Amino acid sequence: MEGITVPAAARTEDSVAARLHSIAQYILVGVFGILPILFLPFAEFSLPFTKTFVVVIALVAAVMLYSFAVLRTGTFRISLPLPVVALWLVTIAGAASAFLSGDVRDAFIGDFLEQQTVAFMAILALIVTVVPHVLTDKRRIYMLYIVLSGSAIALTLFHMLRIVFGADALSFGVFGGGQPLSPVG
């Protein structure tokens, strides 16, 4: 039986798709790598909201670029391990619970996407679903480990310096100094 031969032009990898996929991977590595040391001091929004907002924007950008790469290549393979399916089921159960609650808006999004809301659970489930599909290159995964290690070292140094030199050191006008919350004496 004779096999099917694929023309040489069809076997070459699409450089545009590879570049789009690579940019999507760099976006995820960059965002999740700097997330531990990221703080955006806005008076209107809380720190967790700004971090969630940055992650959502990066995730949308990475998914768009990855989608364009998939459209260029014409191939897409998805695998959903049991823990990911379980997380989506928990999110669906949370949504059902939110619909039955007395305050649907607070249960779904809260004031600013708090961690106990259904929208935040959906963002987490989306991250757990998307990241393994986009971040497939071993070099980018190692790069993520290196960037996370660098963030951990920077955060450790920051806290050690604040312990040694006092709470007012490196406060940047954002982090609370050593003043007690209520006056003593």
Side-chain angles (χ1 to χ4, degrees):
M1 183 167 186
E2 193 172 320
I4 299 172
T5 55
V6 178
R11 280 186 270 148
T12 60
E13 185 176 322
D14 186 3
S15 63
V16 174
R19 187 74 177 143
L20 289 171
H21 188 201
S22 178
I23 293 170
Q25 289 180 350
Y26 279 122
I27 288 172
L28 292 179
V29 167
V31 164
F32 289 117
I34 66 164
L35 197 61
I37 59 173
L38 176 72
F39 70 94
L40 301 173
F42 295 124
E44 299 86 23
F45 305 112
S46 66
L47 180 63
F49 174 74
T50 57
K51 285 187 173 200
T52 303
F53 184 71
V54 168
V55 168
V56 167
I57 295 298
L59 191 65
V60 166
V63 166
M64 285 177 52
L65 291 171
Y66 181 68
S67 298
F68 293 149
V70 166
L71 287 173
R72 292 254 332 164
T73 60
T75 59
F76 180 68
R77 195 179 84 236
I78 188 165
S79 64
L80 292 174
L82 190 58
V84 175
V85 173
L87 182 58
W88 278 108
L89 291 175
V90 167
T91 304
I92 291 169
S97 174
F99 275 124
L100 298 174
S101 73
D103 193 359
V104 176
R105 182 189 172 280
D106 279 342
F108 268 101
I109 60 170
D111 289 328
F112 293 109
L113 281 176
E114 286 87 8
Q115 290 87 358
Q116 66 273 13
T117 61
V118 174
F120 191 82
M121 287 191 329
I123 291 169
L124 287 178
L126 191 63
I127 289 170
V128 169
T129 304
V130 167
V131 169
H133 289 92
V134 175
L135 202 58
T136 56
D137 188 14
K138 284 184 183 180
R139 290 175 293 169
R140 302 303 186 303
I141 295 171
Y142 289 140
M143 186 183 300
L144 177 62
Y145 290 150
I146 290 169
V147 174
L148 280 172
S149 297
S151 292
I153 290 168
L155 199 57
T156 301
L157 288 174
F158 172 77
H159 286 296
M160 293 303 289
L161 288 172
R162 285 185 57 126
I163 288 171
V164 171
F165 295 112
D168 291 332
L170 299 174
S171 67
F172 303 116
V174 176
F175 302 116
Q179 288 86 22
L181 296 176
S182 59
V184 178

